[in-house]
């Protein structure tokens, strides 16, 4: 593009042409160019054609340059011209599924004698009364198995999804695999799990009984800790199920 046409484009865009009077430090030397200065016609005069440039260059029509500039800078994908695309039903469903992704928080209490307790803490932590109930069940089984010296209660928290990264599968099947493996993992305990007690029904879909059985662990479904605290009969049923379990150590 010639210097004259560049000048016309800049003028059409309303950008002043700046030429430094000296070479800026570190700047690449500019190529010298000559620009003809055409006299500005009076405002009340209507000039249909411009005077030819003294350098012999062709006449530059500012209106034509402005139109050409508009064609160059126009974007076919501009928001004003781009048609509004309607979201498909599949995209809307996927967005709904992402917004209602499976989330829960579980508290896992390890007794140190082969019994592990799982309770849903998505809405709130275990109350002091609930913690005492779990500890009493562990102490009773420690006496029944004659392992009172080995009793050592510790609690950990399992949050699902484990890693909140977009694109990773966080459905019910993935949650079941992760939580079941978490229940079996020893995490520093020297005693493998013989019994896994799940309190309530909310976490039951995410515990694979067959997986636990394959690792020599028995799954016992118990009422929620709140129900156990108010119903003595529920405690008796749970105690009967626990006494029927034979330890493997």
């Amino acid at each position: 593009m010639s210097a004259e046409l560049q000048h016309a484009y800049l003028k059409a865009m309303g950008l002043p042409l700046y030429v430094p009077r000296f070479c800026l430090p570190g700047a690449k030397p500019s190529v010298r160019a000559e620009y003809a200065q055409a006299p500005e016609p009076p405002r009340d005069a209507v000039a249909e054609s411009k005077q030819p440039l003294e350098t012999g260059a062709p006449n530059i029509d500012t209106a034509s340059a402005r139109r050409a500039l508009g064609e160059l800078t126009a974007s076919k994908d501009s928001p004003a011209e781009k048609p509004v695309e309607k979201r498909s039903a599949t995209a809307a469903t996927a967005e709904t599924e992402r917004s209602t992704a499976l989330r829960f928080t579980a508290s896992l209490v390890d007794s140190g004698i082969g019994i592990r307790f799982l309770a849903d803490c998505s809405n709130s932590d275990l109350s002091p009364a609930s913690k005492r109930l779990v500890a009493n069940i562990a102490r009773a089984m420690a006496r029944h198995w004659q392992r009172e010296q080995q009793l050592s209660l510790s609690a950990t928290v399992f949050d699902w999804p484990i890693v909140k990264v977009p694109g990773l599968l966080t459905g019910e099947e993935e949650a079941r695999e992760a939580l079941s493996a978490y229940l079996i993992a020893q995490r520093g305990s020297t005693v493998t799990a013989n019994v896994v007690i799940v309190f309530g029904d909310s976490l039951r879909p995410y515990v694979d009984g067959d997986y636990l059985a394959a690792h020599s662990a028995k799954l016992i479904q118990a009422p929620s800790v709140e129900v156990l605290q108010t119903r003595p009969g529920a405690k008796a049923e749970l105690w009967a199920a626990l006494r029927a379990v034979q330890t493997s150590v």
Side-chain angles (χ1 to χ4, degrees):
M1 182 183 297
S2 65
E4 294 294 343
L5 188 55
Q6 291 179 6
H7 192 187
Y9 275 123
L10 292 174
K11 185 177 181 181
M13 288 188 294
L15 300 177
L17 181 63
Y18 169 75
V19 179
R21 296 180 178 273
F22 55 89
C23 184
L24 299 175
K28 183 179 179 181
S30 302
V31 179
R32 183 177 180 82
E34 297 292 341
Y35 298 94
Q37 298 292 336
E40 292 291 340
R43 293 187 178 183
D44 54 351
V46 179
E48 297 182 357
S49 62
K50 293 187 175 181
Q51 297 293 332
L53 300 176
E54 296 178 358
T55 55
N59 292 339
I60 301 300
D61 187 354
T62 304
S64 299
R66 191 183 300 275
R67 287 194 299 271
L69 178 63
E71 294 176 359
L72 290 175
T73 56
S75 174
K76 295 181 180 180
D77 297 330
S78 60
E81 299 179 2
K82 186 176 181 179
V84 178
E85 299 180 357
K86 295 183 178 179
R87 294 186 304 171
S88 63
T90 304
T93 303
E95 183 176 349
T96 303
E97 291 178 353
R98 286 193 297 270
S99 62
T100 58
L102 177 62
R103 297 178 183 276
F104 63 85
T105 299
S107 177
L108 175 61
V109 180
D110 189 0
S111 64
I113 60 174
I115 301 178
R116 290 174 183 169
F117 307 88
L118 185 68
D120 191 351
C121 296
S122 301
N123 298 325
S124 62
D125 296 335
L126 287 176
S127 64
S130 299
K131 293 179 181 179
R132 286 194 298 269
L133 174 62
V134 174
N136 290 336
I137 295 174
R139 291 191 187 97
M141 287 305 298
R143 288 193 296 269
H144 178 68
W145 286 346
Q146 298 181 358
R147 295 186 186 175
E148 296 182 72
Q149 302 85 352
Q150 302 175 13
L151 184 63
S152 177
L153 296 175
S154 61
T156 56
V157 175
F158 179 89
D159 283 317
W160 184 260
I162 301 175
V163 181
K164 300 176 178 62
V165 177
L168 293 182
L169 298 178
T170 58
E172 182 175 329
E173 182 177 355
E174 291 76 22
R176 183 184 303 110
E177 293 177 356
L179 182 56
S180 301
Y182 187 81
L183 290 171
I184 294 299
Q186 295 185 16
R187 300 178 308 281
S189 175
T190 58
V191 180
T192 58
N194 298 122
V195 180
V196 174
I197 301 176
V198 180
F199 294 109
D201 299 327
S202 58
L203 294 179
R204 182 61 185 88
Y206 314 122
V207 179
D208 190 344
D210 294 336
Y211 180 86
L212 298 184
H215 290 79
S216 303
K218 179 179 178 57
L219 172 63
I220 295 180
Q221 178 66 45
S224 64
V225 288
E226 292 80 10
V227 173
L228 290 173
Q229 291 170 3
T230 57
R231 286 179 48 195
K235 292 181 183 178
E237 294 175 1
L238 176 59
W239 177 241
L242 287 173
R243 294 187 62 181
V245 177
Q246 299 297 325
T247 176
S248 60
V249 180

